[in-house]
Amino acid sequence: MTVLGDDVGAVRVLTMNRPDARNALNSELIEALYVALCEADADPSVRAVVLTGVDPAFCAGVDLKQAQREGPAYFERYQTHNCITRVGEMATPIVGAINGPVFTGGLEMALGCDFLIASERAVFADTHARVGILPGGGMTARLPQLVGAAMARRLSMTGEVIDAARALQIGLVTEVVAHEGLLDRAVELAGQIAEVPAPIMAGLKQIYVSGAAAVTDPALAAEQAISGALSDTSDLGARYAEISERNRRQIRR
């Protein structure tokens, strides 16, 4: 199974399960995660969700090898099963537990969570531009709200990798914990959310979403329009190999 689900009281833990591919979003994972998110959102017994990945990574983003093989056909799956944007559309509160590397589309997915906590092993990067793909899942709309416009541009334009301590410093995550305690801490926080009466929590989330919409909605529309016109998928395989090696070198530092 590419997505594991486990209920801890009123908290549903969804875990991406392609560890050999660092939980990159192939067609099976795209569809399974989208369905799992929709089911959790529709289940009244689920009061909060924790999203994480099987070690060693949270999510490497788009499966660039499959995208390179299939071209536009790969990206068409996101028209009906967009697991990246679905996270940000959840009515149910969702906590991101970042257990390891999270890159590009994986980072866009994480940004859709209400807030993030990170393992000390987590590292973050937006490498869209370096592999010839523009963000289309909310990166340019949501990242500036967390880290500020200048830092968001720096991360997206350079593709640099930052560690968990730096992510906490710039406001990308709200807490960094020992790796072994990450899931317990995420479930603990989600459990606190689940204790609040459902109508109150639903209203609170709606207030936050509505308040941000004036900024995010136009930014999302612009991002999707420009991304669709300019993204280049013709040589993803070579760029994937180059960026993967560069990221590995930065992580080892």
Side-chain angles (χ1 to χ4, degrees):
M1 296 177 63
T2 55
V3 176
L4 307 176
D6 183 36
D7 288 348
V8 183
V11 176
R12 180 158 298 172
V13 179
L14 297 178
T15 306
M16 292 173 279
N17 185 32
R18 289 191 71 213
D20 292 345
R22 298 198 302 172
N23 300 317
L25 297 170
N26 70 345
S27 54
E28 185 179 358
L29 180 52
I30 290 167
E31 294 176 9
L33 182 56
Y34 180 85
V35 170
L37 290 166
C38 290
E39 289 178 348
D41 216 16
D43 189 339
S45 70
V46 177
R47 304 279 291 277
V49 173
V50 171
L51 179 63
T52 192
V54 171
D55 287 345
F58 179 83
C59 180
V62 165
D63 189 323
L64 293 174
K65 293 181 179 179
Q66 184 178 8
Q68 194 272 337
R69 290 195 308 270
E70 298 184 2
Y74 169 84
F75 292 96
E76 287 172 4
R77 292 182 180 88
Y78 290 99
Q79 300 300 315
T80 56
H81 291 80
N82 196 330
C83 58
I84 293 175
T85 58
R86 186 66 181 86
V87 173
E89 297 164 356
M90 296 282 285
T92 306
I94 180 166
V95 178
I98 311 302
N99 58 300
V102 54
F103 293 155
T104 314
L107 181 55
E108 283 186 301
M109 181 193 298
L111 291 172
C113 295
D114 289 291
F115 59 89
L116 305 176
I117 65 170
S119 155
E120 59 198 352
R121 299 181 188 174
V123 291
F124 305 76
D126 176 18
T127 58
H128 277 102
R130 285 188 168 269
V131 297
I133 302 175
L134 290 174
M139 182 75 72
T140 61
R142 295 191 174 98
L143 187 59
Q145 293 189 48
L146 294 180
V147 305
M151 181 56 71
R153 293 184 189 192
R154 170 174 164 168
L155 293 175
S156 293
M157 290 177 176
T158 66
E160 68 180 300
V161 179
I162 63 170
D163 62 15
R166 180 65 170 152
L168 179 63
Q169 183 182 43
I170 65 176
L172 181 55
V173 304
T174 63
E175 185 175 352
V176 177
V177 299
H179 184 74
E180 295 74 16
L182 175 66
L183 190 57
D184 286 344
R185 179 57 173 156
V187 170
E188 178 185 7
L189 290 168
Q192 293 174 17
I193 293 169
E195 291 172 355
V196 177
I200 296 298
M201 184 55 67
L204 179 62
K205 178 155 183 175
Q206 186 176 4
I207 291 169
Y208 272 110
V209 171
S210 297
V215 175
T216 57
D217 288 356
L220 283 168
E223 179 183 275
Q224 290 166 2
I226 297 170
S227 176
L230 296 180
S231 288
D232 174 17
T233 62
S234 61
D235 192 28
L236 283 175
R239 292 195 297 270
Y240 172 81
E242 177 186 348
I243 296 303
S244 294
E245 178 56 31
R246 176 176 177 271
N247 288 340
R248 282 193 290 270
R249 288 197 301 268
Q250 290 198 20
I251 291 168
R252 287 196 296 263
R253 290 176 184 172

